[in-house]
Amino acid sequence: RNIVGTLLVVQREADPVSAMRAILDRGERRFAGATAAAAGLYLWRVDYPPRPRIPEPGDGLLLWSPV
């Protein structure tokens, strides 16, 4: 719920990926968005690549894919 609340905030930024990275790099909850309400929040689906692998350091981290 904390991540969802933060995603709702960073999606309005010009560069949402950099905005999210900046929040995570600060390492303090107070810089993140408000906690999203639990009502109606559920996991819809999970997509896995055909050949999953463990990312290497420096690969970068894709937090979400804009739809």
Side-chain angles (χ1 to χ4, degrees), residues 14-40:
D15 184 358
V17 174
S18 293
M20 181 62 121
R21 186 174 306 271
I23 291 169
L24 293 174
D25 286 347
R26 291 180 103 164
E28 293 185 39
R29 175 69 182 93
R30 64 191 175 112
F31 296 114
T35 302

Side-chain angles (χ1 to χ4, degrees), residues 17-64:
V17 174
S18 293
M20 181 62 121
R21 186 174 306 271
I23 291 169
L24 293 174
D25 286 347
R26 291 180 103 164
E28 293 185 39
R29 175 69 182 93
R30 64 191 175 112
F31 296 114
T35 302
L41 185 62
Y42 60 93
L43 179 63
W44 179 4
R45 72 176 195 215
V46 177
D47 294 322
Y48 294 101
R51 298 190 67 208
R53 67 178 184 83
I54 297 173
E56 296 293 327
D59 278 355
L61 176 63
L62 178 64
L63 297 174
W64 76 95

